[in-house]
Amino acid sequence: MKRFNLVLGAVLIAAGATSCKDEAKETAEHNVDHYVVFVDSVNGLDAAERAANWAAIDAAYQARVAEAEAAMTTLKEDEAAQKRIDESKAKYDAVRMQAENEAKAKMEAEAAKTAGNPMADKFFGAGNVVGNDMTFAWVNKDNILSVYQKFYETFDADKDEYSRQDLDKVKAWYEALDNRKNTVEKEGLSSSDNNKIAGIKLKFAPKFRWERLTAKGEENQAAKDKAN
């Protein structure tokens, strides 16, 4: 994160004092310089740091490239400046392609963790990665209510079909979703959605306890029958 902050800081270099006559030209030249420095700094980051901060990097890049392109209306026939911009664009395009490929590979790896798990797909929707770490990073303040609602409706519809092992999975997912909710609350979850989620949890808890209890009883009975 320290190096990433230095990258963003590189674009905040203050313009030097200029004469009124040359102020526009020098400002344009500084904007081109800032753009080139920014792209070079992004190239200097390691892949993991770029991936962790890519959204902010790309947003900053769009602002810098817009300034550099606008600068060319002042610099006009300055071929050297245009060449520097073009070269930096090519560098950034290569970095962006690498970042996109890395992000795609990561998503595919996460998706593979839940491949062949129809139960997870049923609870959370196909394509919504649960993963072994169960971070639920795709759950946010805008969709968390619908995630809880789908979770509850799926459980309620199929609860009589779950084995004790299935219920262990449901419990782990539910607790992980609750942990995600603690984070989402800090990110602006509305009071209305929070209250509706609380209502869903109140309905879910007693039904889940009952299913766990009866599943354990059925498991014990099955063991006794087998022993006899």
Side-chain angles (χ1 to χ4, degrees), residues 94-106:
V95 170
R96 177 167 53 200
M97 183 175 294
Q98 181 182 354
E100 289 174 352
N101 288 339
E102 288 166 353
K104 182 180 179 181
K106 183 177 180 181

Side-chain angles (χ1 to χ4, degrees), residues 146-165:
S146 64
V147 174
Y148 267 98
Q149 187 65 44
K150 181 174 178 59
F151 186 96
Y152 171 76
E153 290 174 353
T154 301
F155 173 79
D156 193 44
D158 298 337
K159 60 183 182 296
D160 296 333
E161 307 299 323
Y162 296 136
S163 67
R164 192 176 180 197
Q165 289 74 23

